[in-house]
Amino acid sequence: MNVSSFRVDVPAGSVLFKQGDEPTSAFLLESGSIEVTTEHGSTSRRLGLLGPGDLLGEMAVLDDSPRTATARALSDCVLMPIDRKQFAERLTSADPVVRALLLSQIARYRSALAQLSGQSDAPVAVARSSDASIALDKIRLESHLREALDKGELEVRLQPILDIANHRIAGFEALTRWTHPERGPVSPAEFIALAEETSLIVPVGDYVLDQVCGALQRLRKYREGDPVFVALNVSGRQLDDDALLDRFLQTVRAHGLHPAQLKLEITESLVLDYVRVDSIITRCHAAGLRVALDDFGTGYSNLGHLHRLEFDTLKMDQGFVRQMHEPRCLAIVRAVVTMANSLGCDIVAEGVETPAQLQMLGELGCTYAQGYLIGKPLSLDEAIELV
Ligand code: C2E
Ligand code: MG
Ligand code: MG
């Protein structure tokens, strides 16, 4: 056998690795044919016949356990070794649920093989790693979220947004709350991210919209002639769904509302794909919906694209307001407010907690303020009282 780190030549009849060997690397069979067998005493059982393009020896590398089978060349073979690190790095960065599924399947396969080769009568108990239990907790939480959605247990709260110059509540941002029966309140940062990992965010978003429309219908009675708006967070995954806008508009109309009362908040990470965001904004505007850029100034601010994206509103991330007492931060806030005004956008300062911050923002010409000073996310009844 001729071995280098890039190529292994195995002459016909030779053994590449034996059952029970410690794993070194996996292999990609480039040419030739290899028989994989498992041995028990004098009996040998063929598990597979591999040809060019097949992967072998990966299992032992994945779970770092001895080889479960013997690989013998039936003809002259050329293989490419695959370093265990190449798998390990990908496995570490994979979704923990996918990792747990893979490792549990390997463990089950090993157990079945052990029974087949007579090494064990009973199925081998599959040891549960902490990694697997994290993954299962996540799956469990996701199922609970599905159940909560199904039972209508997600609560949509409304955080007031103040029109600074006119001292009145102009609208609200819809923020979703979930109280888990055992864990108590789960932060949206956690459950929205969980829902975004699968398509669960789509029905969650539809549910939130339905609640928001119901709220707008009730709020309308208290602000005849001066309607409030509700801003709704939409995530990238929701916007992948081409039918989303049509469905949104249908819901809005079914509630007898005007699309301009609804504002979609798109988070900044998505603006990276500006062609897609541009087409979403165009479609929203054609339908009369308004669009806000959420968390402006965090991470992905790309001023090179911003001038092409006709957002109606910029929402300045709360990090800026929090540090506005520092002269350099204040300079940035001033510049962002000026930029928004020059672009013809409204600007919402997020996370306003003190009267000093509110006063300064007013002086800078900021349109709206949102934060605990104005009000925490409220129930619908509390929101009605406020308007
Ligand atoms: P966001 O859209 O930037 O929402 C603002 C967050 O800041 C909210 O956190 C709000 O409670 C919090 N906040 C508001 N005022 C203050 C303040 O004065 N001080 C401080 N420290 N925090 C303040 P929340 O409710 O935990 O939501 C976190 C994120 O989860 C939201 O960030 C939004 O991106 C996402 N989210 C919430 N509900 C939904 C939803 O229904 N759908 C989607 N797609 N995302 C949602
Ligand atoms: Mg938001
Ligand atoms: Mg925000």
Side-chain angles (χ1 to χ4, degrees):
M1 204 159 49
N2 181 10
V3 182
S4 87
S5 39
F6 303 109
R7 182 189 159 110
V8 181
D9 288 285
V10 189
S14 355
V15 169
L16 176 66
F17 56 74
K18 271 210 340 267
Q19 187 173 329
D21 283 355
E22 286 307 314
T24 49
S25 68
F27 302 92
L28 182 63
L29 184 54
E30 299 285 27
S31 66
S33 118
I34 282 188
E35 181 188 44
V36 181
T37 56
T38 175
E39 270 129 58
H40 170 53
S42 54
T43 46
S44 164
R45 217 186 285 253
R46 180 189 270 190
L47 294 177
L49 189 61
L50 307 179
D54 284 334
L55 198 61
L56 70 154
E58 77 285 6
M59 211 173 84
V61 169
L62 285 172
D63 69 354
D64 201 17
S65 300
R67 302 282 190 197
T68 51
T70 299
R72 185 178 283 105
L74 295 182
S75 61
D76 289 348
C77 292
V78 177
L79 299 112
M80 187 174 77
I82 302 175
D83 194 301
R84 63 196 319 158
K85 269 199 251 151
Q86 288 174 267
F87 286 132
E89 281 169 3
R90 289 187 168 89
L91 209 56
T92 319
S93 61
D95 185 316
V97 174
V98 174
R99 193 162 56 225
L101 279 175
L102 179 69
L103 294 176
S104 111
Q105 284 304 304
I106 292 181
R108 209 143 294 150
Y109 180 63
R110 282 188 181 281
S111 161
L113 264 185
Q115 275 184 286
L116 191 73
S117 60
Q119 291 163 18
S120 156
D121 290 335
V124 178
V126 177
R128 247 177 234 122
S129 64
S130 66
D131 200 38
S133 83
I134 291 170
L136 292 178
D137 282 348
K138 202 167 151 182
I139 292 272
R140 195 175 290 125
L141 192 65
E142 189 181 318
S143 298
H144 289 163
L145 179 57
R146 277 181 204 279
E147 190 182 346
L149 177 65
D150 197 52
K151 291 186 178 163
E153 287 169 357
L154 295 184
E155 191 197 355
V156 178
R157 296 222 138 210
L158 300 170
Q159 186 173 32
I161 297 174
L162 178 78
D163 176 338
I164 301 177
N166 297 308
H167 312 285
R168 56 166 198 132
I169 299 303
F172 297 88
E173 175 174 5
L175 293 162
T176 307
R177 296 287 175 264
W178 178 31
T179 306
H180 187 276
E182 289 132 40
R183 275 183 52 180
V186 185
S187 136
E190 184 179 358
F191 76 81
I192 294 289
L194 188 68
E196 280 174 355
E197 281 178 23
T198 63
S199 53
L200 183 56
I201 191 65
V202 174
V204 168
D206 289 350
Y207 171 85
V208 173
L209 175 71
D210 203 59
Q211 298 288 304
V212 163
C213 287
L216 274 169
Q217 256 182 335
R218 279 196 59 200
L219 283 163
R220 187 167 52 182
K221 297 190 196 109
Y222 301 88
R223 279 281 282 264
E224 216 83 59
D226 179 22
V228 292
F229 66 83
V230 174
L232 195 75
N233 292 286
V234 284
S235 65
R237 183 119 189 179
Q238 285 173 271
L239 292 167
D240 279 340
D241 172 8
D242 283 332
L244 178 106
L245 281 186
D246 290 335
R247 221 166 47 241
F248 268 29
L249 287 167
Q250 224 168 29
T251 310
V252 170
R253 287 196 200 102
H255 284 82
L257 298 166
H258 195 276
Q261 283 182 271
L262 213 64
K263 200 182 272 194
L264 303 191
E265 287 194 7
I266 300 181
T267 188
E268 210 184 53
S269 60
L270 199 75
V271 177
L272 212 55
D273 185 358
Y274 93 97
V275 178
R276 190 154 69 93
V277 176
D278 190 27
S279 102
I280 290 163
I281 295 177
T282 307
R283 287 174 57 207
C284 283
H285 284 171
L289 291 165
R290 288 182 294 162
V291 192
L293 171 56
D294 204 357
D295 306 326
F296 177 75
T298 56
Y300 296 97
S301 299
N302 187 334
L303 297 178
H305 287 157
L306 189 61
H307 70 99
R308 286 184 248 215
L309 299 174
E310 294 190 15
F311 284 106
D312 303 280
T313 305
L314 279 192
K315 293 196 79 174
M316 184 167 45
D317 188 69
Q318 48 177 274
F320 293 98
V321 175
R322 201 178 302 135
Q323 295 180 72
M324 229 168 44
H325 53 274
E326 288 175 19
R328 292 177 68 85
C329 187
L330 181 63
I332 293 176
V333 172
R334 181 180 288 120
V336 171
V337 171
T338 308
M339 181 186 74
N341 288 338
S342 326
L343 287 171
C345 285
D346 294 331
I347 178 150
V348 181
E350 295 190 79
V352 179
E353 293 183 353
T354 70
Q357 290 167 343
L358 181 62
Q359 191 187 339
M360 181 57 81
L361 288 162
E363 284 164 16
L364 293 176
C366 180
T367 340
Y368 297 116
Q370 179 182 349
Y372 297 162
L373 178 71
I374 323 302
K376 294 214 164 178
L378 309 170
S379 67
L380 178 57
D381 287 333
E382 291 166 330
I384 288 172
E385 223 161 278
L386 198 70
V387 301

